[in-house]
Amino acid sequence: MQFIMQSRKNIIKRILNKFFLLALSLVFLFPVLSIVINSFMSPTEVMSVYGAENAAGFQLFPSHFSLMSYYQVFLGTPQYLIKFWKSLGMVFLILAGQMVTSCMGAAAFSHYKFKGSSLWFGLLIFFTFLPVQATLVPDYWLLSQIHLADSYWALILPNIFSPLGTVLITMIYRNVPKELLEAASLDGANAKQILISVLVPCGKPGIASFFVISFADCWNMVEQPMVFLSDPRDFPLSVFLAVMNDENLSLQFACAILCLLPITLLFLFFHEELSEGITSAITK
């Protein structure tokens, strides 16, 4: 009898936990769901609900289903789609540089000893806590001196060196057994071959998790474009959404969905690698 009562309590507890998590998920997802639903409103309805005369208005479902906003984004006004692809290309250039520099730096800190390695690694950990706003002024001064300010290179070059990526992947590489590296070295592999053939495959979950985290960070950058770029037409999609005027409210909803799409797809495809990489980095 006691066993049956305990089983019932466990079932009720699981149901309550699931209900609580579902309610909490709806609270966090409600802004996204409202953007998705409102993106199917007609421009006239969006202005009537959220326009300047009714700025505090709200409507959960559209009165009439409309794809006009998506038509304007994908076909009618191609500048938004062009800006999306430019922003995506810029982010992938940054990530390509980060993957190279972080993997090489992590290999040096994890399995090679050199003078001051502990000090330099401690500084890297410190730089991971340094806010991006603290480096904007020196970055702008340096980029101005080499005549790269007011260009996409001003956003790409400073970001290809990521302290977080080096620290995270170093923790992953330290879990690789030294016997594998010694065996590869005895087979005649040099440092480059060991990195490509041993360390990178073994650290794939950590590299994938850093890729997702860094993509979200670079895709949503705001301060750097506003400081380094003077022409609002050159702003990436993340900043351009904030400077669109009130006459384009309907387009803002559709562009917001366009902005959410890459991060959502990355999380859906790499959520297992993301959790596995972070777990393996903090456990040794």
Side-chain angles (χ1 to χ4, degrees):
M1 184 68 178
Q2 184 177 1
F3 175 76
I4 296 175
M5 293 295 295
Q6 186 66 29
S7 299
R8 288 180 178 177
K9 289 181 179 179
N10 291 335
I11 294 174
I12 294 174
K13 185 177 180 180
R14 286 198 297 269
I15 293 175
L16 291 177
N17 287 337
K18 290 181 179 179
F19 178 79
F20 172 75
L21 292 176
L22 179 61
L24 191 63
S25 300
L26 290 176
V27 171
F28 284 103
L29 288 175
F30 179 77
V32 179
L33 293 175
S34 64
I35 292 174
V36 174
I37 294 172
N38 290 328
S39 67
F40 294 105
M41 287 184 179
S42 64
T44 304
E45 186 176 5
V46 170
M47 291 303 300
S48 65
V49 176
Y50 301 101
E53 297 179 356
N54 194 20
F58 177 76
Q59 183 173 321
L60 184 59
F61 296 104
S63 301
H64 302 285
F65 182 84
S66 174
L67 292 175
M68 181 58 66
S69 299
Y70 289 99
Y71 172 80
Q72 289 293 330
V73 170
F74 288 98
L75 296 175
T77 312
Q79 62 170 322
Y80 303 111
L81 199 57
I82 292 173
K83 190 172 291 293
F84 169 82
W85 288 113
K86 283 185 176 181
S87 302
L88 197 63
M90 178 193 67
V91 171
F92 275 114
L93 283 176
I94 294 173
L95 292 177
Q98 287 183 351
M99 294 299 109
V100 174
T101 58
S102 298
C103 288
M104 293 176 63
F109 282 114
S110 60
H111 292 288
Y112 296 96
K113 296 297 180 181
F114 53 92
K115 188 175 181 179
S117 60
S118 299
L119 174 62
W120 288 111
F121 190 69
L123 287 174
L124 277 178
I125 296 176
F126 169 75
F127 287 143
T128 60
F129 298 99
L130 195 67
V132 66
Q133 293 84 358
T135 61
L136 288 178
V137 173
D139 282 348
Y140 183 81
W141 179 85
L142 179 60
L143 291 167
S144 298
Q145 295 300 312
I146 59 178
H147 306 290
L148 289 178
D150 202 15
S151 69
Y152 274 111
W153 289 111
L155 304 179
I156 296 171
L157 292 180
N159 285 297
I160 63 175
F161 303 99
S162 173
L164 175 62
T166 304
V167 171
L168 179 62
I169 299 176
T170 297
M171 298 301 182
I172 302 293
Y173 284 175
R174 285 179 176 175
N175 294 330
V176 178
K178 292 185 178 180
E179 291 77 10
L180 287 177
L181 306 182
E182 294 173 356
S185 181
L186 290 174
D187 289 338
N190 55 31
K192 177 182 176 181
Q193 292 170 332
I194 291 175
L195 171 63
I196 297 175
S197 303
V198 180
L199 290 176
V200 171
C202 291
K204 190 179 295 184
I207 296 172
S209 63
F210 169 65
F211 183 89
V212 176
I213 294 172
S214 185
F215 183 94
D217 183 51
C218 296
W219 183 254
N220 294 320
M221 69 168 66
V222 175
E223 292 89 352
Q224 299 98 316
M226 295 183 68
V227 172
F228 298 147
L229 302 178
S230 59
D231 191 348
R233 292 175 297 181
D234 294 332
F235 286 164
L237 193 61
S238 57
V239 182
F240 186 74
L241 284 175
V243 299
M244 292 176 66
N245 56 48
D246 293 340
E247 296 178 358
N248 291 322
L249 287 177
S250 61
L251 292 179
Q252 282 185 339
F253 286 119
C255 286
I257 300 301
L258 191 65
C259 194
L260 286 171
L261 190 60
I263 297 178
T264 304
L265 293 177
L266 271 181
F267 178 78
L268 291 177
F269 283 109
F270 295 104
H271 66 279
E272 293 182 359
E273 288 82 358
L274 180 61
S275 59
E276 183 181 351
I278 296 176
T279 302
S280 57
I282 62 177
T283 58
K284 185 177 180 180

